[in-house]
mmCIF file of all heavy atoms in Angstrom:
data_model
loop_
_atom_site.group_PDB
_atom_site.id
_atom_site.type_symbol
_atom_site.label_atom_id
_atom_site.label_comp_id
_atom_site.label_asym_id
_atom_site.label_seq_id
_atom_site.Cartn_x
_atom_site.Cartn_y
_atom_site.Cartn_z
ATOM 1 N N GLN B 6 71.126 99.412 61.278
ATOM 2 C CA GLN B 6 70.949 98.317 60.333
ATOM 3 C C GLN B 6 70.003 98.692 59.192
ATOM 4 O O GLN B 6 70.067 98.106 58.116
ATOM 5 C CB GLN B 6 70.458 97.073 61.063
ATOM 6 C CG GLN B 6 71.571 96.405 61.860
ATOM 7 C CD GLN B 6 71.152 95.097 62.479
ATOM 8 O OE1 GLN B 6 70.416 95.098 63.454
ATOM 9 N NE2 GLN B 6 71.625 93.995 61.935
ATOM 10 N N ALA B 7 69.178 99.696 59.412
ATOM 11 C CA ALA B 7 68.306 100.168 58.333
ATOM 12 C C ALA B 7 69.085 100.977 57.304
ATOM 13 O O ALA B 7 68.705 101.030 56.132
ATOM 14 C CB ALA B 7 67.165 101.009 58.910
ATOM 15 N N PHE B 22 75.153 93.791 66.169
ATOM 16 C CA PHE B 22 75.396 94.999 65.382
ATOM 17 C C PHE B 22 75.719 96.174 66.301
ATOM 18 O O PHE B 22 76.657 96.943 66.047
ATOM 19 C CB PHE B 22 74.175 95.314 64.519
ATOM 20 C CG PHE B 22 74.345 96.522 63.642
ATOM 21 C CD1 PHE B 22 74.882 96.405 62.372
ATOM 22 C CD2 PHE B 22 73.985 97.793 64.086
ATOM 23 C CE1 PHE B 22 75.055 97.518 61.559
ATOM 24 C CE2 PHE B 22 74.143 98.909 63.279
ATOM 25 C CZ PHE B 22 74.682 98.765 62.013
ATOM 26 N N LEU B 25 79.260 96.213 67.547
ATOM 27 C CA LEU B 25 80.258 96.610 66.552
ATOM 28 C C LEU B 25 80.146 98.078 66.154
ATOM 29 O O LEU B 25 81.135 98.705 65.757
ATOM 30 C CB LEU B 25 80.109 95.744 65.298
ATOM 31 C CG LEU B 25 80.431 94.253 65.439
ATOM 32 C CD1 LEU B 25 80.073 93.520 64.147
ATOM 33 C CD2 LEU B 25 81.901 94.039 65.780
ATOM 34 N N LYS B 37 91.863 100.211 43.007
ATOM 35 C CA LYS B 37 93.196 99.775 43.426
ATOM 36 C C LYS B 37 93.446 99.918 44.927
ATOM 37 O O LYS B 37 94.525 99.559 45.399
ATOM 38 C CB LYS B 37 94.303 100.513 42.653
ATOM 39 C CG LYS B 37 94.221 100.371 41.143
ATOM 40 C CD LYS B 37 94.369 98.928 40.689
ATOM 41 C CE LYS B 37 94.391 98.811 39.172
ATOM 42 N NZ LYS B 37 94.442 97.408 38.717
ATOM 43 N N VAL B 41 93.331 94.017 51.742
ATOM 44 C CA VAL B 41 94.170 93.029 52.411
ATOM 45 C C VAL B 41 95.504 92.976 51.675
ATOM 46 O O VAL B 41 95.538 92.656 50.484
ATOM 47 C CB VAL B 41 93.515 91.630 52.405
ATOM 48 C CG1 VAL B 41 94.465 90.603 53.027
ATOM 49 C CG2 VAL B 41 92.190 91.648 53.146
ATOM 50 N N ALA B 58 85.456 94.273 44.948
ATOM 51 C CA ALA B 58 86.826 93.934 45.324
ATOM 52 C C ALA B 58 87.201 92.586 44.737
ATOM 53 O O ALA B 58 86.353 91.693 44.590
ATOM 54 C CB ALA B 58 86.982 93.905 46.836
ATOM 55 N N ILE B 72 90.795 85.012 42.246
ATOM 56 C CA ILE B 72 90.160 83.792 42.743
ATOM 57 C C ILE B 72 88.777 84.053 43.333
ATOM 58 O O ILE B 72 88.077 83.116 43.707
ATOM 59 C CB ILE B 72 91.049 83.097 43.796
ATOM 60 C CG1 ILE B 72 91.389 84.054 44.945
ATOM 61 C CG2 ILE B 72 92.312 82.553 43.145
ATOM 62 C CD1 ILE B 72 92.136 83.400 46.085
ATOM 63 N N ILE B 75 84.271 90.168 45.958
ATOM 64 C CA ILE B 75 83.536 90.605 47.145
ATOM 65 C C ILE B 75 82.785 91.881 46.777
ATOM 66 O O ILE B 75 83.373 92.825 46.243
ATOM 67 C CB ILE B 75 84.457 90.913 48.340
ATOM 68 C CG1 ILE B 75 85.360 89.725 48.665
ATOM 69 C CG2 ILE B 75 83.619 91.284 49.578
ATOM 70 C CD1 ILE B 75 86.427 90.055 49.698
ATOM 71 N N ILE B 85 90.914 85.962 58.961
ATOM 72 C CA ILE B 85 91.088 86.199 60.395
ATOM 73 C C ILE B 85 90.090 85.387 61.212
ATOM 74 O O ILE B 85 90.348 85.064 62.378
ATOM 75 C CB ILE B 85 91.005 87.708 60.739
ATOM 76 C CG1 ILE B 85 89.601 88.252 60.471
ATOM 77 C CG2 ILE B 85 92.062 88.502 59.998
ATOM 78 C CD1 ILE B 85 89.074 89.078 61.563
ATOM 79 N N SER B 103 82.489 102.100 48.431
ATOM 80 C CA SER B 103 82.683 102.492 49.826
ATOM 81 C C SER B 103 82.546 101.273 50.708
ATOM 82 O O SER B 103 82.035 100.221 50.274
ATOM 83 C CB SER B 103 81.673 103.572 50.240
ATOM 84 O OG SER B 103 80.345 103.061 50.179
ATOM 85 N N LYS B 111 88.563 94.676 67.484
ATOM 86 C CA LYS B 111 87.201 94.845 67.987
ATOM 87 C C LYS B 111 86.259 93.775 67.441
ATOM 88 O O LYS B 111 85.314 93.362 68.130
ATOM 89 C CB LYS B 111 86.674 96.235 67.605
ATOM 90 C CG LYS B 111 87.522 97.383 68.128
ATOM 91 C CD LYS B 111 87.527 97.438 69.654
ATOM 92 C CE LYS B 111 88.306 98.652 70.149
ATOM 93 N NZ LYS B 111 88.317 98.726 71.641
ATOM 94 N N GLU B 117 84.206 85.665 68.475
ATOM 95 C CA GLU B 117 84.534 84.523 69.322
ATOM 96 C C GLU B 117 83.536 84.327 70.462
ATOM 97 O O GLU B 117 83.326 83.200 70.926
ATOM 98 C CB GLU B 117 85.947 84.690 69.881
ATOM 99 C CG GLU B 117 87.030 84.601 68.806
ATOM 100 C CD GLU B 117 88.403 84.925 69.341
ATOM 101 O OE1 GLU B 117 88.491 85.544 70.426
ATOM 102 O OE2 GLU B 117 89.394 84.566 68.676
ATOM 103 N N PHE B 125 77.223 82.109 61.712
ATOM 104 C CA PHE B 125 76.798 82.912 60.564
ATOM 105 C C PHE B 125 77.988 83.229 59.658
ATOM 106 O O PHE B 125 77.939 83.019 58.432
ATOM 107 C CB PHE B 125 76.137 84.199 61.063
ATOM 108 C CG PHE B 125 75.744 85.169 59.989
ATOM 109 C CD1 PHE B 125 74.625 84.950 59.213
ATOM 110 C CD2 PHE B 125 76.501 86.311 59.755
ATOM 111 C CE1 PHE B 125 74.251 85.847 58.223
ATOM 112 C CE2 PHE B 125 76.140 87.209 58.773
ATOM 113 C CZ PHE B 125 75.011 86.981 58.001
ATOM 114 N N TYR B 129 79.275 81.977 55.802
ATOM 115 C CA TYR B 129 79.719 82.881 54.733
ATOM 116 C C TYR B 129 81.068 82.424 54.171
ATOM 117 O O TYR B 129 81.270 82.411 52.943
ATOM 118 C CB TYR B 129 79.813 84.323 55.245
ATOM 119 C CG TYR B 129 80.581 85.217 54.301
ATOM 120 C CD1 TYR B 129 80.019 85.612 53.095
ATOM 121 C CD2 TYR B 129 81.888 85.621 54.584
ATOM 122 C CE1 TYR B 129 80.729 86.394 52.192
ATOM 123 C CE2 TYR B 129 82.599 86.408 53.703
ATOM 124 C CZ TYR B 129 82.024 86.793 52.501
ATOM 125 O OH TYR B 129 82.736 87.554 51.606
ATOM 126 N N HIS B 131 82.255 79.438 54.126
ATOM 127 C CA HIS B 131 82.021 78.236 53.320
ATOM 128 C C HIS B 131 81.526 78.615 51.919
ATOM 129 O O HIS B 131 81.995 78.063 50.912
ATOM 130 C CB HIS B 131 81.003 77.328 54.008
ATOM 131 C CG HIS B 131 80.616 76.136 53.190
ATOM 132 N ND1 HIS B 131 81.502 75.135 52.852
ATOM 133 C CD2 HIS B 131 79.432 75.800 52.607
ATOM 134 C CE1 HIS B 131 80.884 74.231 52.116
ATOM 135 N NE2 HIS B 131 79.632 74.605 51.945
ATOM 136 N N ARG B 163 77.177 92.003 41.941
ATOM 137 C CA ARG B 163 77.703 92.816 43.028
ATOM 138 C C ARG B 163 77.750 94.310 42.736
ATOM 139 O O ARG B 163 77.983 95.103 43.649
ATOM 140 C CB ARG B 163 79.112 92.312 43.376
ATOM 141 C CG ARG B 163 79.082 90.922 44.003
ATOM 142 C CD ARG B 163 80.438 90.217 43.970
ATOM 143 N NE ARG B 163 80.364 88.959 44.710
ATOM 144 C CZ ARG B 163 79.907 87.807 44.204
ATOM 145 N NH1 ARG B 163 79.490 87.770 42.934
ATOM 146 N NH2 ARG B 163 79.863 86.717 44.935
ATOM 147 N N LEU B 169 79.265 97.678 34.028
ATOM 148 C CA LEU B 169 80.351 97.121 34.832
ATOM 149 C C LEU B 169 81.644 97.835 34.453
ATOM 150 O O LEU B 169 82.150 97.651 33.331
ATOM 151 C CB LEU B 169 80.488 95.619 34.564
ATOM 152 C CG LEU B 169 79.192 94.792 34.602
ATOM 153 C CD1 LEU B 169 79.493 93.335 34.296
ATOM 154 C CD2 LEU B 169 78.480 94.938 35.934
ATOM 155 N N SER B 185 94.935 90.751 24.708
ATOM 156 C CA SER B 185 94.421 90.493 23.357
ATOM 157 C C SER B 185 93.414 89.346 23.376
ATOM 158 O O SER B 185 92.428 89.356 22.629
ATOM 159 C CB SER B 185 95.577 90.163 22.412
ATOM 160 O OG SER B 185 96.306 89.028 22.881
ATOM 161 N N GLU B 190 87.556 87.403 23.279
ATOM 162 C CA GLU B 190 86.435 86.774 23.980
ATOM 163 C C GLU B 190 85.258 87.732 24.148
ATOM 164 O O GLU B 190 84.093 87.333 24.059
ATOM 165 C CB GLU B 190 86.890 86.254 25.346
ATOM 166 C CG GLU B 190 87.917 85.148 25.274
ATOM 167 C CD GLU B 190 87.486 83.989 24.409
ATOM 168 O OE1 GLU B 190 86.303 83.586 24.504
ATOM 169 O OE2 GLU B 190 88.314 83.473 23.638
ATOM 170 N N GLY B 196 78.868 89.243 20.106
ATOM 171 C CA GLY B 196 78.167 88.714 18.938
ATOM 172 C C GLY B 196 76.843 88.061 19.281
ATOM 173 O O GLY B 196 75.966 87.946 18.415
ATOM 174 N N THR B 197 76.671 87.667 20.532
ATOM 175 C CA THR B 197 75.400 87.079 20.970
ATOM 176 C C THR B 197 74.422 88.154 21.447
ATOM 177 O O THR B 197 73.294 87.831 21.818
ATOM 178 C CB THR B 197 75.634 86.091 22.123
ATOM 179 O OG1 THR B 197 76.011 86.801 23.309
ATOM 180 C CG2 THR B 197 76.711 85.072 21.756
ATOM 181 N N THR B 203 82.752 98.642 25.795
ATOM 182 C CA THR B 203 83.445 99.856 25.381
ATOM 183 C C THR B 203 84.677 100.006 26.261
ATOM 184 O O THR B 203 84.924 99.197 27.157
ATOM 185 C CB THR B 203 82.537 101.095 25.509
ATOM 186 O OG1 THR B 203 82.031 101.166 26.850
ATOM 187 C CG2 THR B 203 81.371 101.011 24.537
ATOM 188 N N ARG B 204 85.449 101.030 26.030
ATOM 189 C CA ARG B 204 86.686 101.211 26.789
ATOM 190 C C ARG B 204 86.377 101.350 28.286
ATOM 191 O O ARG B 204 85.689 102.277 28.700
ATOM 192 C CB ARG B 204 87.437 102.442 26.281
ATOM 193 C CG ARG B 204 88.797 102.645 26.941
ATOM 194 C CD ARG B 204 89.507 103.851 26.336
ATOM 195 N NE ARG B 204 90.795 104.063 26.957
ATOM 196 C CZ ARG B 204 91.919 103.465 26.593
ATOM 197 N NH1 ARG B 204 91.901 102.613 25.582
ATOM 198 N NH2 ARG B 204 93.059 103.711 27.210
ATOM 199 N N VAL B 209 75.781 95.059 30.495
ATOM 200 C CA VAL B 209 75.011 93.827 30.368
ATOM 201 C C VAL B 209 73.687 94.150 29.689
ATOM 202 O O VAL B 209 72.886 94.935 30.190
ATOM 203 C CB VAL B 209 74.766 93.181 31.752
ATOM 204 C CG1 VAL B 209 73.868 91.947 31.605
ATOM 205 C CG2 VAL B 209 76.090 92.800 32.405
ATOM 206 N N LEU B 225 75.985 77.574 41.159
ATOM 207 C CA LEU B 225 75.923 76.761 42.372
ATOM 208 C C LEU B 225 76.421 77.513 43.607
ATOM 209 O O LEU B 225 75.737 77.509 44.639
ATOM 210 C CB LEU B 225 76.687 75.442 42.173
ATOM 211 C CG LEU B 225 76.480 74.378 43.253
ATOM 212 C CD1 LEU B 225 76.615 72.977 42.657
ATOM 213 C CD2 LEU B 225 77.448 74.541 44.412
ATOM 214 N N LEU B 236 70.064 85.106 52.301
ATOM 215 C CA LEU B 236 70.194 86.459 51.771
ATOM 216 C C LEU B 236 70.345 86.396 50.257
ATOM 217 O O LEU B 236 70.966 85.479 49.720
ATOM 218 C CB LEU B 236 71.446 87.147 52.350
ATOM 219 C CG LEU B 236 71.544 87.241 53.871
ATOM 220 C CD1 LEU B 236 72.935 87.712 54.278
ATOM 221 C CD2 LEU B 236 70.489 88.184 54.410
#
Side-chain angles (χ1 to χ4, degrees):
Q6 285 186 286
F22 182 89
L25 294 173
K37 303 298 184 184
V41 176
I72 56 174
I75 305 171
I85 66 134
S103 64
K111 302 296 184 180
E117 293 173 342
F125 176 76
Y129 166 73
H131 175 65
R163 292 162 174 83
L169 312 179
S185 58
E190 296 306 318
T197 70
T203 55
R204 185 177 180 86
V209 176
L225 192 150
L236 303 170

